[in-house]
Amino acid sequence: MNSKIFSVTAFMLMSTFAACDGPDSVATSDPEATPQTVALLTNLKTLAARGTMIGHQDALAYGEGWYDEAGRCDFRDACGHYPALFGWEVGELEQGAAYSLDSVYFDRIRDYMKQVYAWGGVNTLSWHSRNPFTGGDAWDVSSSEVVASILPGGAKNALYEEWLDRLADFFLSLKDDNGTLIPVIFRPFHELTGSWFWWGRDLCSVDQYVALWRYTADGLRARGVHNLLWAYSAAGYASVEEFAERYPGDGYVDIVGFDAYDQPNSGFSDDVRARTAILLEFAAAHDKLPAFTETGSEGLKDPEWFENTLYPLLQGQGLSYVMLWRNAYNIPGHFYAAWPGYAPAAQNMRQFVEREDVLTLDEIGLLYE
Ligand code: BMA
């Protein structure tokens, strides 16, 4: 065999092995993350180069005019594909409640998450927990002592430990039929650069916010929870420094992102472009996966919003996912994904998801191996 043929053959063999092995595993923030959790992050990093996964909050739980109907999903019914990513909400789980602040039973959420995992989709959880200090809801910003009260030595530390017990029990109950833990993107204390939640910028110091995040992550890890990817998601910011100010550290975060909604006269597109550029710079410097963690245009008043507004903001950016907010069954006009009865928006959403670089469930391949 001459040397050229030998090296071509060797190269082909090496490529074959490389293709079988898949990409080398990337490091998760939790060094003890389960193999499926490591595989998820590894595969999401590769997938982001191909396109952006589309997600929808509470997609299987309810929608425009329906609640908990087997097999129903506004997103799929409007455009023929399931989203790749499914968002769920654990607010009030910490209270030991049976259902979330958006009235979805946690037992059902577990079933939905199991279904999504069986399909090969991605689950993400947000947590609009109640205010442990005042007893109000997540939006109760009447006190700036809340975060301090949770931390060790604080009056609500024991209560918060109970909350962590409940969260840990739930995360550890997320298993497939073989008993394998289902990986979850957990996105607590979100929109932290705003001041509308009790953990917001004006409600606690930088050190307190970082301590809250680490205390939560360490507490869950100490309880044996290793099936989480941690998502740090901001609201508005104007510089890398501002985005980074409350970042809990590379050992506590896997995904970085922001939430932004298209409200009338909010300069949405320019704002998202500016935030994305900053996000991508930060993500590259820290080797974290960038995502657009919540968005939408309430009621889709512009039925061409997906193609005319959203798509140009995603194209070529390398964002892992974009998640549309929920289609509330009991708040008129509070929807963000199209639904079949709203035909012009459904048609536009179908066009959008059929783009090669907008990824639905059927296009993401095997993410957990
Ligand atoms: C908000 C609205 C509320 C909901 C909350 C938490 O944006 O959708 O109705 O309770 O998110 O999911």
Side-chain angles (χ1 to χ4, degrees), residues 112-303:
Y112 297 135
M113 293 177 81
K114 206 173 146 180
Q115 174 67 79
V116 166
Y117 182 67
W119 285 338
V122 182
N123 286 294
T124 179
L125 284 171
S126 50
W127 186 28
H128 291 81
S129 67
R130 294 189 70 84
N131 183 319
F133 188 69
T134 64
D137 62 21
W139 293 266
D140 179 352
V141 290
S142 60
S143 168
S144 48
E145 292 172 58
V146 189
V147 176
S149 79
I150 291 175
L151 295 171
K156 298 297 173 186
N157 181 252
L159 176 67
Y160 196 67
E161 287 284 320
E162 275 174 38
W163 288 16
L164 293 181
D165 286 342
R166 291 190 178 117
L167 277 186
D169 284 351
F170 184 74
F171 291 140
L172 293 173
S173 77
L174 301 171
K175 290 183 179 163
D176 72 3
D177 286 340
N178 302 321
T180 303
L181 283 163
I182 297 172
V184 179
I185 298 173
F186 185 42
R187 189 171 64 94
F189 313 125
H190 63 303
E191 301 178 7
L192 62 129
T193 54
S195 297
W196 44 84
F197 295 127
W198 58 256
W199 55 85
R201 175 157 53 188
D202 293 345
L203 287 306
C204 58
S205 69
V206 170
D207 288 349
Q208 284 170 341
Y209 182 86
V210 169
L212 170 68
W213 187 289
R214 292 184 178 182
Y215 190 77
T216 303
D218 290 338
L220 290 174
R221 288 172 187 176
R223 286 165 171 82
V225 177
H226 299 292
N227 52 331
L228 304 182
L229 294 177
W230 290 78
Y232 168 80
S233 106
Y237 49 84
S239 64
V240 171
E241 293 69 34
E242 202 181 337
F243 182 81
E245 192 182 39
R246 289 168 185 245
Y247 181 66
D250 287 342
Y252 289 91
V253 173
D254 301 286
I255 294 170
V256 287
F258 65 89
D259 295 359
Y261 285 87
D262 189 357
Q263 276 149 358
N265 308 314
S266 64
F268 176 73
S269 293
D270 287 346
D271 185 21
V272 169
R273 266 192 209 98
R275 288 200 224 173
T276 302
I278 292 167
L279 177 73
L280 295 180
E281 191 182 329
F282 182 90
H286 291 259
D287 195 19
K288 300 296 173 186
L289 187 66
F292 192 173
T293 42
E294 268 183 47
T295 193
S297 164
E298 188 180 27
L300 290 166
K301 293 190 185 66
D302 170 9

Side-chain angles (χ1 to χ4, degrees), residues 3 28 42 58 95 115 164 172 174 177 199 209 231 234 248 262 264 297 303-305 357 367 369:
S3 67
T28 44
T42 304
D58 278 348
Q95 308 292 321
Q115 174 67 79
L164 293 181
L172 293 173
L174 301 171
D177 286 340
W199 55 85
Y209 182 86
D262 189 357
S297 164
E304 297 186 347
W305 185 80
D357 50 355
L367 299 179
E369 49 192 64

